Amino acid sequence: QLTMSLNSSTLLNEGNAQGAKRNTECLESLLQSPSSIQDNPLQQLQLASQEVLEKAKKSGRSKCPRCNSSRMFYCYTCFVPVETVPTKEIPTVKLPLKIDIIKHPNETDGKSTAVHAKLLAPDDVTIYKYPCIPEYEEKRHEIALIFPGPNSVSVKDIAFHLQKYTKKSVCSSDDDCSREPLPKQAKIEPEEEKNPNECISSSRSEGTRLKKIIFIDSTWNQTNKIITDERLQGLLQIELKTRKTCFWRHQKGTPDTYLSTIEAIYYFLVDYHQEILKESYKGQYDNLLFFFSFMYTLIKDAKCCAGKK
């Protein structure tokens, strides 16, 4: 699992009915014994009431209103809550930019929290199943890709680097200007050299503000096929390095800074809000972790019930 990859597991795994039954029985004994705040770092979030999820947990699996499949909380193929979770009781989050999630075709639907983003920010999130993805070439000056790498930059440096990408875009449209590969950025004139913070206001006035962010939803071993796709080449890459995952099935052998998809989206937006929009963060995007935080508690309690640390 990498920064934006998700190898997550829903509480009840479709492929393991016996395990699901054991988990359900275990959770029933825990209904009256919620975890303490110190045991759950996500409880500090400013979330909408999760009473609707508590009720759904007690009633068990329910039907998807579209495909009639039996699911817990939501349908991960139709991107809608199940019948026992009324849509009106699910919070919605308005995002400051659009998000595209590119999902690997072999990534199990039931093991992806990418659907959380679509459920909670339906107007701003689109999920694509690779190789069916958009062409980003003409919009690369306003799009960035969340992916770790030698050329990736931090969130606070987005505006500065997008300005350079815009210069390359203008240059490439001029017949008299030779086109170079994106890694070889055109030299910026001395009077235009500014630090990242100074570039933020000027980039806004020039229409170079970031408008879309791309996340890859796959396991670490599956990412190479997607990240090397020619349609993603030349995009500004951003890496999230300072947050640690709370994901309950973190891939062995990867740093704890490799986040699940929904965590990566959430933490990026928090940083973007503070570093780029220059506004104080007051929990505006916390509800993106509405389902994730609830499942975190359930699975943590289930492991305790089973005698696991």
Side-chain angles (χ1 to χ4, degrees), residues 117-151:
K118 182 62 179 177
L119 283 163
L120 298 164
D123 294 336
D124 298 315
V125 175
T126 304
I127 298 179
Y128 298 94
K129 182 169 287 189
Y130 187 82
C132 298
I133 65 175
E135 295 283 350
Y136 296 110
E137 174 68 18
E138 299 301 320
K139 298 290 185 179
R140 66 186 182 207
H141 59 286
E142 57 188 33
I143 298 176
L145 170 67
I146 300 294
F147 197 86
N151 297 319

Side-chain angles (χ1 to χ4, degrees), residues 38-297:
Q38 59 267 30
D39 291 335
N40 184 353
L42 299 176
Q43 284 191 3
Q44 300 301 320
L45 298 170
Q46 299 180 43
L47 299 173
S49 172
Q50 294 177 320
E51 183 179 358
V52 63
L53 300 183
E54 289 285 354
K55 291 180 179 179
K57 177 181 66 175
K58 294 178 181 179
S59 61
R61 301 166 71 85
S62 181
K63 288 184 178 181
C64 167
R66 294 186 182 177
C67 67
N68 291 321
S69 296
S70 177
R71 299 282 190 259
M72 193 71 174
F73 304 128
Y74 57 81
C75 179
Y76 43 74
T77 53
C78 298
F79 308 145
V80 295
V82 294
E83 293 178 345
T84 55
V85 182
T87 302
K88 64 181 181 180
E89 295 187 41
I90 299 299
T92 56
V93 184
K94 181 62 180 175
L95 308 184
L97 37 66
K98 300 297 182 181
I99 289 178
D100 282 358
I101 300 175
I102 300 175
K103 185 176 179 298
H104 192 283
N106 293 336
E107 178 70 2
T108 305
D109 289 339
K111 293 183 178 182
S112 172
T113 58
V115 63
H116 295 183
K118 182 62 179 177
L119 283 163
L120 298 164
D123 294 336
D124 298 315
V125 175
T126 304
I127 298 179
Y128 298 94
K129 182 169 287 189
Y130 187 82
C132 298
I133 65 175
E135 295 283 350
Y136 296 110
E137 174 68 18
E138 299 301 320
K139 298 290 185 179
R140 66 186 182 207
H141 59 286
E142 57 188 33
I143 298 176
L145 170 67
I146 300 294
F147 197 86
N151 297 319
S152 62
V153 303
S154 63
V155 174
K156 65 183 178 65
D157 292 335
I158 289 176
F160 175 73
H161 288 277
L162 279 182
Q163 186 182 53
K164 293 193 293 184
Y165 273 60
T166 300
K167 284 183 174 295
K168 287 300 297 180
S169 178
V170 172
C171 177
S172 64
S173 65
D174 189 342
D175 294 336
D176 296 328
C177 181
S178 60
R179 183 171 183 175
E180 297 179 353
L182 278 176
K184 299 179 181 179
Q185 298 294 346
K187 184 178 180 180
I188 300 177
E189 294 302 320
E191 65 270 18
E192 294 178 343
E193 291 182 352
K194 303 177 182 178
N195 64 45
N197 291 332
E198 291 174 339
C199 285
I200 292 173
S201 59
S202 63
S203 66
R204 283 184 174 179
S205 63
E206 295 170 8
T208 59
R209 186 169 53 181
L210 183 66
K211 294 182 179 179
K212 179 175 289 187
I213 198 78
I214 303 170
F215 293 83
I216 296 176
D217 185 49
S218 75
T219 60
W220 176 257
N221 293 332
Q222 294 172 339
T223 58
N224 188 62
K225 183 176 182 180
I226 297 178
I227 196 61
T228 56
D229 189 288
E230 61 180 6
R231 289 167 292 183
L232 298 180
Q233 303 311 300
L235 293 176
L236 176 65
Q237 288 184 207
I238 300 169
E239 183 171 2
L240 306 175
K241 302 178 181 180
T242 62
R243 296 334 200 292
K244 293 184 178 180
T245 184
C246 288
F247 179 51
W248 46 89
R249 285 188 61 188
H250 183 70
Q251 281 187 330
K252 293 182 179 180
T254 59
D256 58 6
T257 53
Y258 283 5
L259 309 170
S260 65
T261 301
I262 194 62
E263 287 177 300
I265 292 173
Y266 169 72
Y267 286 124
F268 167 80
L269 289 171
V270 171
D271 289 346
Y272 181 83
H273 193 85
Q274 297 173 316
E275 299 287 351
I276 303 301
L277 300 184
K278 295 297 181 181
E279 298 177 11
S280 60
Y281 183 70
K282 299 179 180 179
Q284 290 92 333
Y285 313 120
D286 282 10
N287 275 321
L288 286 174
L289 298 179
F290 181 76
F291 290 106
F292 184 89
S293 63
F294 190 80
M295 291 180 174
Y296 171 89
T297 300

Side-chain angles (χ1 to χ4, degrees), residues 11-13 15-26:
L11 177 62
L12 301 179
N13 191 307
N16 190 346
Q18 292 183 347
K21 182 178 180 181
R22 287 196 297 271
N23 279 347
T24 301
E25 293 172 348
C26 178

